[in-house]
Amino acid sequence: MSEGKNDIQKENVNNPEKKVSQGRRDALKAMVAVPVLGAMAYGVYQKKKTELNNRNAAGMFRFKGDVAAYTPTNSDAPILRLGIIGFGIRGKLLMQALGFATPDYVENLKEQERIDPENTRYRDFLAQEDLRIEITAVCDIFDAYGEDAVRAGSNVYREGKNGRYGREPKRYLHYRDLLAASDVDAVVIAAPDHWHGTMAMDAIKAGKHVYVEKPMTWTVPETYALRAVVKENPHLVFQLGHQNRQIEAYERARQIIEKGLLGKITLIETGTNRNDPNGAWVYPIHEKASRDTIDWKQFEGDPERIKEYMDYMTSAGVTKYVGPEPRDKFSLERFFRWRCWWDYSTGLSGDLLTHEYDAMNQILHLGIPSSASSSGGVYFFKDGRTVPDVLQTVFEYKEKDLTMFYSATLANQFKRTRKIMGHDATMEVGNTLTVTVDPRSEQYHQKIEQGIIKPGEPFYTYVPGQSVDAVSSATERYFLERGLLYSFIDGKRYNTTFLHLKEWIDCIRNGKQPSCGIDQGFEEAITAHMGTRAYLEGRTMYWDKDKELITRE
Amino acid sequence: MKRVSQYSKPQIYSLLTLRLFIGWYFLYEGLAKVFTPNWSAYGYLIDSKGIFAPFFVQLTENPAVLSVVNFINIWGLTLVGLSLILGLFNKTGYIGAILFLLMFYLSHPPLLYAKYILPTEGSYLWIDKNLIMLAAVVVLMLFPTSRIIGFDSLLIRKKKS
């Protein structure tokens, strides 16, 4: 205290009339912070104001109703008994999505986690919700797959080798015997394309609910037949396996278009780029595969379907695409790589175009196009295949005044985004959405002039799982493009196939209609068939809406 | 008082300027996060490189831990900024600033081959602006000014009285 006093006296010697205390002088000096903080407050205020303006500009991209929240299965829901037809590549994935995997597969997941602790696939698989289902029956015409399916079906505790297993499902050698079983309520069909329609029809006729992989049908006639059978049995739930129906961003895309935020849409561009043998359907041949372990007769197909197929190929004059080997000739290549031949396959149209089409049908309710033209060829995989590895298909929607363009190659994997092009803006649709305003937009003309919207730059991005919609910042875009952020929704990653199967199961339990039912399936199948026929015949195919027929003029 | 009065006026004002600038930087970094709804360090942490990267990435894995990290970032940066500008509890402020800058540096060291998703505005090798600022804060700590210009001077007086 005394020291302080002395200081004051000393310092005030030269200025005796100004009796200001040292404390006050210190306080005054400390006030240097005031203008600094004031400047900061002013800066923050101005910045917030600008941001608010921008946010208001994006306000039109705000939506109230989001995608329905995830509803867990009731723990007292009755057990649903499932039969699995086909345990090949897709069948295995479907069963895993249902929560059933072979012990070998689980062992593999554990190993992956051991090597890389950041790999969460094993934990995710264990954490996946129990859908309260039992696999009571499996069917595969290749013994090794059939036996694997039994092991997967009994692996109710999701264990590795030497674990506890539940009751083994019965393995059937013929799918019709499986459909006749009384302990099967519903079936999941993942057989090759040429069997989809037949099996689905037979299953419905046998009183089973059906989940069938895409494409819905192999021939055009069976498409009508299947629709009729499903419509006659409205109490049975039919779901086509387009899991894209579960992608949250697509629902948001639909809302954006419904609000008219893109303006009049005239062109949709979609495509497929893959660049590896697996992506071109050159799958490995199983070591145990032979004449003795494969039921080739059943693989050949349903005689009625084969007749429909041959009738069309002959009448259209495109028998050069049949075979080239006789159907009854055993072939491991054909068994494992059936997608390469029209005799079993629907080619790029059925396998990959259908995904793109169904996504766009989900977002835009396109329906069946008025015409389709295709071109392409076998340009890279000259391995004896008859289906093209490069395909361009153009669908015209005369009534909607728009074109949907599909472009695919199996020998390049450059990333091309799906683009929905409107007069006012373009939306790129993937797991995330990006809307870029068109410089010549009329709707946004004023906002562009005011500088609120910068045309040509992504103006709005929607990232699933993010609670706040925001005008995209450079930072967000960087993370987004690298796919680093938001692979988790609410901290949990959902497999879309799981969600799609769950929707089907929920509908069976609640008597509701799933998102990809028979009407959507019919549109998908006819659209794909139009594209295929246009390719095979080398001419434009038309859709006669009134007669519901594919015509040549 | 004797010790501090050894500074010449230009020395005091240049030290003060440095303190205010660094304080400003911290305060705005904090406020920007305060005003960003749902701001998260997730993206920054997951982009960590170098030997400490596993530690920083680990912070993102547990939502509870991440929310603590977010809270510390948002309010820590703000408080450090206020401390430096006001000249209040400056010693604590400097230690906080050093810890923050050290974390920033260690999570994103400018290594020879490290490539970050977020682009930097300059070119750096081993030494970056975080490290330079850290050194500046150390200098400020060794040449204190808050007892001459700042609220710490009032605290000192109060303590003495």
Side-chain angles (χ1 to χ4, degrees):
Chain A
M1 186 69 195
S2 62
E3 195 187 316
K5 255 187 185 163
N6 289 338
D7 280 352
I8 297 164
Q9 282 164 357
K10 249 187 251 167
E11 289 201 6
N12 285 342
V13 166
N14 299 331
N15 206 353
E17 66 278 359
K18 207 173 171 190
K19 301 254 180 229
V20 186
S21 74
Q22 176 68 35
R24 229 164 122 204
R25 284 171 57 102
D26 282 353
L28 279 173
K29 276 186 187 166
M31 287 306 146
V32 71
V34 173
V36 175
L37 290 177
M40 170 71 73
Y42 176 77
V44 169
Y45 171 73
Q46 286 298 334
K47 216 163 168 156
K48 284 304 290 176
K49 214 165 100 180
T50 323
E51 271 173 28
L52 201 69
N53 274 343
N54 290 345
R55 213 167 263 278
N56 287 342
M60 54 201 155
F61 282 92
R62 286 248 182 80
F63 301 91
K64 275 186 213 143
D66 246 327
V67 179
Y70 181 87
T71 38
T73 305
N74 266 344
S75 57
D76 57 352
I79 298 281
L80 188 76
R81 299 166 303 174
L82 287 187
I84 310 289
I85 303 174
F87 197 67
I89 296 169
R90 188 66 193 152
K92 283 187 186 72
L93 291 172
L94 288 167
M95 260 183 101
Q96 284 158 20
L98 288 166
F100 296 85
T102 59
D104 283 333
Y105 175 80
V106 178
E107 229 31 83
N108 184 7
L109 289 186
K110 282 187 188 168
E111 184 61 26
Q112 284 179 28
E113 195 186 28
R114 260 194 294 274
I115 296 166
D116 175 11
E118 283 175 35
N119 188 322
T120 62
R121 288 179 62 199
Y122 177 56
R123 272 167 282 163
D124 291 347
F125 181 63
L126 288 185
Q128 189 178 295
E129 196 202 340
D130 177 7
L131 296 174
R132 301 203 41 85
I133 48 177
E134 187 185 347
I135 311 291
T136 49
V138 296
C139 173
D140 199 286
I141 57 171
F142 171 38
D143 287 341
Y145 285 179
E147 287 155 16
D148 276 350
V150 170
R151 276 191 280 275
S154 67
N155 194 5
V156 292
Y157 305 109
R158 304 179 189 179
E159 300 234 26
K161 283 176 180 163
N162 308 317
R164 285 178 307 151
Y165 306 117
R167 198 154 59 100
E168 285 192 350
K170 183 168 177 190
R171 182 187 166 205
Y172 294 87
L173 298 175
H174 201 290
Y175 82 93
R176 286 213 182 88
D177 297 330
L178 182 148
L179 293 179
S182 58
D183 63 348
V184 174
D185 305 315
V187 291
V188 173
I189 300 167
D193 293 0
H194 67 302
W195 269 112
H196 286 180
T198 311
M199 286 176 173
M201 273 188 277
D202 288 346
I204 296 279
K205 284 177 190 161
K208 318 291 186 196
H209 304 279
V210 169
Y211 181 103
V212 63
E213 260 309 316
K214 54 86 216 166
M216 193 172 84
T217 55
W218 178 55
T219 74
V220 174
E222 67 171 333
T223 313
Y224 301 98
L226 174 59
R227 184 176 61 167
V229 170
V230 174
K231 294 256 178 194
E232 281 161 21
N233 293 277
H235 60 290
L236 295 173
V237 179
F238 175 90
Q239 172 97 301
L240 181 63
H242 279 300
Q243 65 273 17
N244 55 270
R245 293 269 168 180
Q246 309 300 329
I247 297 176
E248 194 193 357
Y250 291 4
E251 175 56 23
R252 178 53 55 93
R254 196 186 59 71
Q255 294 170 349
I256 287 173
I257 286 165
E258 230 162 51
K259 272 193 164 185
L261 295 171
L262 302 187
K264 186 173 166 60
I265 295 160
T266 51
L267 181 59
I268 301 163
E269 195 182 296
T270 69
T272 305
N273 281 53
R274 305 208 292 203
N275 195 14
D276 63 307
N278 213 50
W281 314 309
V282 187
Y283 304 122
I285 288 170
H286 200 286
E287 52 189 6
K288 287 184 187 156
S290 74
R291 252 176 237 281
D292 300 329
T293 54
I294 291 170
D295 177 0
W296 185 260
K297 189 72 205 144
Q298 207 182 148
F299 177 73
E300 280 181 35
D302 182 74
E304 207 181 318
R305 289 294 90 71
I306 297 169
K307 186 176 176 303
E308 287 165 5
Y309 168 73
M310 288 308 296
D311 283 352
Y312 166 72
M313 298 302 251
T314 315
S315 69
V318 293
T319 45
K320 65 175 175 179
Y321 291 113
V322 177
E325 289 183 317
R327 192 175 275 270
D328 57 7
K329 188 183 166 199
F330 180 82
S331 156
L332 288 176
E333 280 80 16
R334 288 178 158 239
F335 183 76
F336 287 99
R337 300 166 185 170
W338 53 265
R339 279 207 172 93
C340 299
W341 292 278
W342 292 113
D343 281 6
Y344 320 97
S345 171
T346 47
L348 273 165
S349 301
D351 191 35
L352 297 164
L353 181 153
T354 50
H355 273 314
E356 300 300 314
Y357 165 76
D358 189 66
M360 289 305 143
N361 197 23
Q362 174 187 356
I363 294 169
L364 288 149
H365 303 297
L366 288 176
I368 296 168
S370 36
S371 72
S373 317
S374 301
S375 68
V378 183
Y379 294 151
F380 192 84
F381 288 91
K382 295 182 184 292
D383 51 7
R385 66 179 61 198
T386 49
V387 304
D389 53 18
V390 173
L391 178 73
Q392 267 57 243
T393 300
V394 182
F395 296 108
E396 300 300 336
Y397 290 83
K398 294 285 183 203
E399 285 174 17
K400 292 188 156 64
D401 291 328
L402 70 86
T403 296
M404 178 175 137
F405 173 55
Y406 173 79
S407 165
T409 172
L410 297 180
N412 170 289
Q413 64 174 46
F414 186 79
K415 191 181 163 229
R416 289 192 286 180
T417 54
R418 300 186 189 102
K419 296 178 197 76
I420 301 175
M421 297 174 228
H423 177 61
D424 294 310
T426 300
M427 176 159 58
E428 292 175 79
V429 183
N431 283 326
T432 59
L433 302 177
T434 308
V435 176
T436 307
V437 171
D438 196 277
R440 296 290 179 183
S441 157
E442 289 174 61
Q443 187 183 160
Y444 304 113
H445 172 70
Q446 236 182 341
K447 291 207 164 72
I448 293 171
E449 283 213 326
Q450 289 167 350
I452 294 171
I453 291 177
K454 284 202 183 83
E457 279 182 25
F459 169 65
Y460 167 85
T461 41
Y462 172 68
V463 180
Q466 218 187 11
S467 54
V468 177
D469 288 354
V471 178
S472 58
S473 69
T475 323
E476 270 173 319
R477 281 208 304 281
Y478 262 96
F479 283 119
L480 232 153
E481 277 160 18
R482 302 286 181 111
L484 243 177
L485 287 185
Y486 322 118
S487 49
F488 295 84
I489 299 172
D490 292 337
K492 200 171 172 189
R493 186 171 48 191
Y494 286 110
N495 169 338
T496 48
T497 301
F498 162 78
L499 292 176
H500 203 49
L501 283 158
K502 181 178 182 295
E503 187 197 23
W504 173 60
I505 291 166
D506 287 347
C507 286
I508 293 173
R509 290 200 171 112
N510 308 326
K512 291 198 178 134
Q513 279 303 310
S515 57
C516 202
I518 190 65
D519 289 326
Q520 291 81 8
F522 184 79
E523 291 168 354
E524 177 252 48
I526 294 291
T527 303
H529 288 313
M530 283 172 71
T532 302
R533 287 192 168 186
Y535 173 79
L536 293 172
E537 297 188 31
R539 65 160 125 196
T540 305
M541 290 288 148
Y542 299 88
W543 176 244
D544 184 329
K545 212 174 141 190
D546 301 321
K547 291 183 190 154
E548 291 206 307
L549 283 176
I550 301 176
T551 64
R552 296 195 175 98
E553 52 203 73
Chain B
M1 275 337 252
K2 209 177 165 195
R3 187 166 59 91
V4 290
S5 59
Q6 284 171 354
Y7 296 147
S8 71
K9 267 201 170 156
Q11 282 172 333
I12 288 178
Y13 287 117
S14 50
L15 283 169
L16 178 68
T17 308
L18 184 60
R19 194 187 90 200
L20 289 176
F21 281 8
I22 294 176
W24 178 282
Y25 166 80
F26 271 88
L27 182 59
Y28 188 69
E29 276 284 11
L31 288 180
K33 292 168 180 58
V34 170
F35 288 120
T36 306
N38 298 320
W39 177 86
S40 176
Y42 179 83
Y44 183 81
L45 290 172
I46 204 131
D47 193 26
S48 299
K49 297 279 145 62
I51 51 167
F52 296 102
F55 165 73
F56 291 106
V57 171
Q58 211 178 7
L59 293 176
T60 65
E61 280 165 11
N62 184 331
V65 174
L66 184 62
S67 63
V68 171
V69 170
N70 290 341
F71 183 85
I72 292 175
N73 261 291
I74 295 170
W75 295 108
L77 288 167
T78 306
L79 290 178
V80 166
L82 281 176
S83 158
L84 266 62
I85 291 174
L86 294 173
L88 183 65
F89 306 123
N90 249 16
K91 209 162 185 182
T92 320
Y94 287 140
I95 291 168
I98 288 169
L99 287 177
F100 270 119
L101 291 165
L102 190 67
M103 291 298 139
F104 296 160
Y105 179 76
L106 291 180
S107 69
H108 285 58
L111 301 172
L112 262 182
Y113 300 108
K115 276 240 181 294
Y116 295 99
I117 287 171
L118 280 177
T120 49
E121 81 285 22
S123 311
Y124 305 107
L125 178 64
W126 299 320
I127 309 293
D128 65 3
K129 289 183 187 169
N130 282 329
L131 202 61
I132 295 168
M133 206 190 306
L134 193 152
V137 175
V138 172
V139 169
L140 283 177
M141 205 155 92
L142 298 177
F143 295 87
T145 50
S146 66
R147 291 181 187 184
I148 310 167
I149 303 178
F151 286 94
D152 279 347
S153 63
L154 303 179
L155 283 184
I156 293 288
R157 299 193 62 77
K158 225 173 169 188
K159 229 191 206 166
K160 279 175 185 164
S161 63

